[in-house]
Amino acid sequence: MGRLDLQGKNGKPVKAKLPADHEFAELIAEAYRVFAAPKPAETGVCKGCCMNPAIEADFLVPDIADLPLHYLQDWYFAAVSDAFGQPIWRYLLPRVLEVLASGEELAYVGLEVSLSRFPTGDASRWKAAEWAVLDRFRHMYVDRAVRHGEDCLDDVLCMFGIAGWPLADLFAQVMDVPADALAERLWRDWCIGRPSIWITAFWDNGGNSDAFAFYTSPELYRRMADLPLDEQTPPELAEKALAVAGVIEQAVAWDADG
């Protein structure tokens, strides 16, 4: 992960480029291959208003792999226009995925909206090779988020959820993670500072309720409560798992009280 600056074709540094040994490098190279397309005629966002004029004029000039990070950040700041559609999104996606994999910030408003401008998680809208890249990216990104990511897990799940990935699939993937890694992740998200379940405000269409139901589910609670009972669990991790279980108990009690 980390903040990476590699050279573009013009020899100038381009932020958020992945070195060859990065865990996402092979997948991102495949993304550039399968999403390769002619440059669109329009940026897909409002003109002469939201974007920096110099960036707007130059946005479609660089090769997509060399598109500067601050260009993309400026594009995310702009409102989408009637010209926005799948062609511009498909064109930008490999660079968007690369920036996300690098750990750099795309949308200043929040990680959660990074893939939501087009229903990216709707498999029916993509060719088989494209969807294979997108869903593999989802699996790798969520797995990294649980094991050692810097962002709150709920922010990551929300990013994929509001982009169209089925919530049941996202929650199932989380439950497949070993209990020790999941306890560490949830302890960092919920138990440092004032203990509480973190749910971002960016969920829509009832996603926050679905997320809360998952975080307070008997299945997740049992995984956290059972971990300290395993003699192989280190004492420090056992304490963290108990703290997470306590947060879940408290949330269930508050919810029951209305």
Side-chain angles (χ1 to χ4, degrees), residues 66-256:
D66 295 335
L67 188 66
L69 174 60
H70 68 286
Y71 278 31
L72 263 180
Q73 291 168 334
D74 200 58
W75 182 83
Y76 270 91
F77 181 76
V80 298
S81 70
D82 292 340
F84 184 85
Q86 190 166 5
I88 182 66
W89 193 233
R90 177 186 281 111
Y91 171 74
L92 291 175
L93 260 177
R95 185 69 178 117
V96 167
L97 299 181
E98 182 175 32
V99 173
L100 286 171
S102 79
E104 286 282 3
E105 186 175 40
L106 267 174
Y108 293 129
V109 69
L111 170 75
E112 297 92 320
V113 304
S114 298
L115 293 172
S116 63
R117 289 199 155 181
F118 186 84
T120 315
D122 182 350
S124 68
R125 295 176 179 267
W126 304 102
K127 299 175 183 177
E130 295 171 340
W131 179 246
V133 167
L134 288 171
D135 210 40
R136 184 181 166 201
F137 179 86
R138 183 267 287 188
H139 278 88
M140 290 178 64
Y141 198 95
V142 170
D143 184 70
R144 184 178 72 178
V146 175
R147 295 176 186 275
H148 50 78
E150 297 177 4
D151 298 295
C152 287
L153 177 60
D154 186 71
D155 296 357
V156 173
L157 296 178
C158 180
M159 176 178 73
F160 290 106
I162 65 176
W165 270 269
L167 297 187
D169 293 348
L170 297 173
F171 299 150
Q173 182 181 351
V174 173
M175 288 298 286
D176 282 342
V177 173
D180 55 349
L182 187 54
E184 287 277 6
R185 171 76 272 169
L186 296 179
W187 182 83
R188 291 196 300 271
D189 288 356
W190 297 354
C191 301
I192 296 177
R194 182 180 180 181
S196 62
I197 292 177
W198 167 253
I199 296 182
T200 178
F202 282 94
W203 284 106
D204 60 10
N205 297 322
N208 55 341
S209 297
D210 291 333
F212 182 81
F214 170 65
Y215 298 140
T216 57
S217 64
E219 294 79 12
L220 182 58
Y221 174 79
R222 280 197 297 271
R223 294 199 74 194
M224 297 299 99
D226 288 349
L227 189 58
L229 302 178
D230 187 338
E231 295 180 355
Q232 303 300 315
T233 302
E236 182 180 359
L237 178 58
E239 290 182 9
K240 291 179 177 179
L242 284 173
V244 172
V247 170
I248 295 173
E249 286 181 336
Q250 187 178 54
V252 171
W254 283 345
D255 188 53

